Structure formats: structure tokens, C-alpha cells
Amino acid sequence: MNRQRSSIGFIVAGAIALLVIAIASFYWFFAKSPANLIASTSQAGAAIFVSKLSPVMVSFLANPDSLQALEREEELSKLKTSLFAKSGINYKEDIQPWLGNEITLAITTLDIDRDLENGQQPGYLLALATKQPEKSREFVELLFSKRALSGANLAVEQYKGIKLISDNSQPEQQLLAGAVVGEGFVLFANDLKVLRDAINNVQAPDLNLTSSPEYQKATKELPKGGLAVAFLNLPIVAKWQGLELPEQLYNSQIISLALNPKGLLAETTFLTSSEIVPPSAPLSKPVGALRYIPASAGLAISGSNLSNLGDSDLTKLWRQATATLYGSGEDVISRLAKPLADVQKRWGINLPEDIFSWVQGEYAIALLPEKEQTTPHWIFVVEKSEGVEKGVARLDAIASSNGLSINPLTIDQQKISAWTELTTATKKSDVKEGATFSIETKVRGLHTTLGNYEIFTSDLETMDEILTTKDNSIIDNPNFKDSIAAIPLPNQGYIYLDWTKSQNLLERQVPILKLVEVLGKPFFNNLRSLTVSSYGTDTRSLKGGVFFKLHNS
């Protein structure tokens, strides 16, 4: 067997593409008839075929043809045609009549034969729900007969009463094995062993995913009517990536995607066997600090109590997740938080020690991107509480030790303290004596007190915007209101990103994002904003959601 070619084949690529396009394109359909896109169940029926040691399983729980609104854009039609063009399969005639309301793709094992000497070959399993078993059997026969006509050597066997068909493909094709199991599913895999294991998992229930206590607990967290769901076994995902995590707090993760009247809500729950404590008390309403964040902000983060952030379970989750995805949490954090990292470097401060440690009340952090410059303006608002006065005095002392002067200013009758730096500038003189010198004052930061809040900004223009546009804060922004309304209360606060304002900045900080945008172009072209929050009261799970606000919603 040529193991380099032993991948799931064209139909797996088709399922993935249909899943991605369907999810990314819901905004087209939603404006027309959202009621038709509510899944009858939030759980994947194909989980009975999947081993409980599977690293990941992804399911789309609706029929792709429910997205008929896409036909006016011809996206779905083109996709179906291109996916099956080389196989001689006609989607409308050969697949549409029997395809049911579930498409599940799972990585069943990290290495099919468990032989390290010939490399790691994951096992892939694709399960398609069928509503007409006989029609689906005809499709399987048709598919493999067409592959035989293309030069593949077919093999047929009976395994525990189920007919398995496989081929030893020619170089221009990919190895494929298939079967119709019972009255409910058509299975395809990239190896016969994967199909046999799937059948064993059904007949020995203690082997399949539905028998996993982690999976059982995770599925209880799923909202009703979710259209897509993914389950990840995090330790095995880390092993798949070849990583040894220094900290393994969370064991599994489940993600669901559901429609909302204003966009899409992706909810996720991380499960652990340890008892966890949230970083701060839950909030029953948005923090008052957001009143001082202008509506022009591209990014806004709000919540309460930063003093224990470094040791919180939320931070541990971030470290584990970034290490699993990137191999190291350091690089991705430094890229995403580059403006804050620049502030630390320029001022010689340590954010957790010099600032976060004394923020025990409400806070809000915002970035205001500008097209003309690569570094955005920033705002930091903190509620007055014990320790804030000493914390501000400490920042003044740090500024002074870095050669900055602390000067009083007045803007619109508001007293402000500015950290300034004197610099010299030379200018060619018209006289022969040479150059003339001028002294310029550069503002490196400002802070002032408004009501019960201390406000810090990067520059005069931003401070002036806060003072002169008090009735145009982000909390009055309709887009922001719609976004946070989709997030359950109480919660731990919000991370709000205005995609249209921050896209250029994010692409500079995270270059791989451009590739993601190309793959999900229809979605990103219509993405208006996204909002992230964590919520839930279970002490053995961390629950949160991401709400995607779309232009057409």
C-alpha cells in the first residue's frame, strides 16, 4: 500500500468544503428563512462509530441543501459541481436523494497501523446520514465501479455482517474504503482498518465516544438547535501535534454553532477534572468603564479584577490552547498584544506587577486603529478602589525614572497629568552660521480622573475624544449593543473586536490571518464584529462564546 496516498479521498474533501461553506455562508440564508436551519438534534449520531480516543470529531447537523439561498450566488452549485467533476458523480442525481441531516468527519486514530517506522498515518472516518439506505447503497456501488473503470483494483469483504468495499488505487487516485451500516449511515475511510474499527465501536459500546464520561458531560452543555458541533480530546490533540504541555488543566472541549437573530453564536466548553475558580465575580451588566471608550474603538476589553489574572484558570487555558495550536504561547501572545508589549518595553514596566496587581474593580482597555499609522492609540480605564491611588503614583514614578516630566494640562476645563519628553529638532538656517535648534515637547501618555474612574490614554487626541464626545461611547454603539445582547448574563466581561476597523491592524500582527481570510472569503467579507465572553457557574468547566455580527444581519 502506498501510505503517502492513503488519505480519505475526494468525498472527505467534499464534506469538509461543504461544512466550511455552509457554516461560513449562513448569513445569506438567515435573512430569508432562519426557521429552516434549526437542527433537530445538537448531538452527532455518528459518535457511535468514533473511538473515545479520537482526537477530534466535527459534525454538521443539517442537510447542505437547506442552504438553497446560496443558489442565487451560485456558490453552492459551483462547489458541488467542482467536488465531484473528476469522479463522474452527479450530486443532484446520485447523492441528494439519500443524504440526511448529518455529515460527520473524525480523526479516529493518530496512526492506523501504530508502526512508527513507516511514519504516522492518521485514520479518517466520514459518516453521512442517509434517509434512503437502498439509494445510498446504490451510490456506494456506483462510486467504486467508476473508480474501477479508472484503474483501481477493488476488493469486497463481509465484516460482521456488513459489506465493505475498498480499492488499491492508481497513483492519480486516493485510497478509499466504504460501507453502508444499518439503516442510518454511509461510512467512508482512508483504510479498511478504520472501517472495521468503526463497526467494532458500534458493537462494543464501551469503545465508542458516546461511552466517554468526558463526551457525555460535554454534550450536556450543548445548546438546542446547534447546526454544527466539534469535540476535541485535548491531551490527544497535543500528542498529535508532538507536544508535551507543561500545564494540562483542561481535558476536552466541545464547540457548537447556532444561529442568532443578529448573527452566529459559537459556544464552547472546556472540561476539567479539577475544580476551577473564575478570575473574578460574574457581572450582571456591562461595566461602567465602557462609558469612557469612544464608539470609534476597534478593540475593547472589559471586566473586573485584573489582580489575579496571571494565576487564573482563564490564563492557564490560554497557555494550554496556544501551546497546543502553535507549539508555544509566547509568540502568538506577543503578536496579538504587540501594542501593550511596546508600552512595556518603552516604559520599562511589567504589566502584571505594575498595573494589573492594583486593578481590583472594573476596567476597560481599548485600541483605536488608524489607517495612517501602524501603532494604534490606546485607552485604559480603571475604577477607583483601594490601591488605585498608589498604583497611579507608582506609574508617575516610573515615568519620571525614565526621563519623562509630569506636567499638568487642561482640556475642556478638565485637569490632566501628562507624561512628556523634551526633544530637540534641527532646521537648516538661511544664514551662513549653520543650523538652528528648536525644542519640542512630545506627550508619551496622559491620565485624568472622571467620576469614579481613572483614565489613561496614549496621546492628546485620544484624551480629547473621550472628553468631548461623552455621548458617543461604545456602549451606545448599536453594533456593540447587538453583540453583547447575544452573550448570556452574568458573565466575566467582553472582548469586542470591530473587524472593519481592525482588519488591517490584525493582518499586520498575525500574517497567517490573511490565509484564513482567503479560505473563508464569503464569511470575512461580511463579518462586521466579533465578541468573546466567558460565563457559566460549573466549577469543573469553563464555558464561553464568540458572537459573530454580520453585515446582513
Side-chain angles (χ1 to χ4, degrees), residues 35 66 107 162 166 207 242 281 331 349 397 401 424 496 507 528 537:
S66 62
I107 298 172
I162 296 172
S166 62
L207 298 178
D331 183 63
I349 62 174
S401 67
T424 59
Y496 171 79
E507 287 173 347
R528 185 167 185 173
T537 57

Side-chain angles (χ1 to χ4, degrees), residues 25-38 65-74 259-261 550 552-553:
S25 305
F26 279 155
Y27 66 90
W28 272 320
F29 189 86
F30 181 74
K32 213 171 184 183
S33 53
N36 294 336
L37 276 178
I38 297 176
D65 291 312
S66 62
L67 298 171
Q68 287 303 314
L70 289 177
E71 298 293 350
R72 69 177 183 267
E73 300 290 340
E74 299 184 351
L259 285 172
N260 177 282
L550 304 167
N552 289 351
S553 60

Side-chain angles (χ1 to χ4, degrees), residues 374-510:
T374 58
T375 303
H377 305 306
W378 56 262
I379 302 170
F380 178 45
V381 183
V382 57
E383 183 183 19
K384 288 291 189 71
S385 61
E386 184 179 355
V388 169
E389 189 173 339
K390 289 183 179 179
V392 174
R394 176 170 172 76
L395 289 180
D396 283 339
I398 292 174
S400 181
S401 67
N402 280 280
L404 301 180
S405 301
I406 303 172
N407 298 310
L409 297 175
T410 300
I411 300 178
D412 195 26
Q413 299 183 340
Q414 176 68 30
K415 293 182 179 179
I416 296 167
S417 293
W419 298 312
T420 62
E421 179 183 17
L422 295 179
T423 61
T424 59
T426 59
K427 184 167 63 173
K428 288 277 185 174
S429 175
D430 292 333
V431 297
K432 295 183 179 181
E433 281 72 36
T436 59
F437 293 88
S438 63
I439 296 177
E440 296 180 353
T441 301
K442 291 188 176 181
V443 175
R444 299 301 186 186
L446 309 96
H447 66 90
T448 189
T449 301
L450 283 175
N452 196 37
Y453 296 89
E454 191 72 17
I455 300 173
F456 302 82
T457 67
S458 57
D459 53 87
L460 281 167
E461 291 81 2
T462 303
M463 181 64 79
D464 180 64
E465 185 174 358
I466 294 171
L467 297 175
T468 56
T469 58
K470 296 178 182 178
D471 296 328
N472 190 28
S473 71
I474 195 170
I475 209 164
D476 299 314
N477 183 335
N479 187 42
F480 180 78
K481 284 183 175 180
D482 287 343
S483 297
I484 64 173
I487 303 293
L489 287 170
N491 57 51
Q492 300 293 328
Y494 307 101
I495 299 175
Y496 171 79
L497 176 70
D498 188 310
W499 175 250
T500 56
K501 296 174 183 175
S502 303
Q503 181 179 0
N504 293 335
L505 172 65
L506 291 172
E507 287 173 347
R508 288 194 296 267
Q509 305 298 346
V510 190

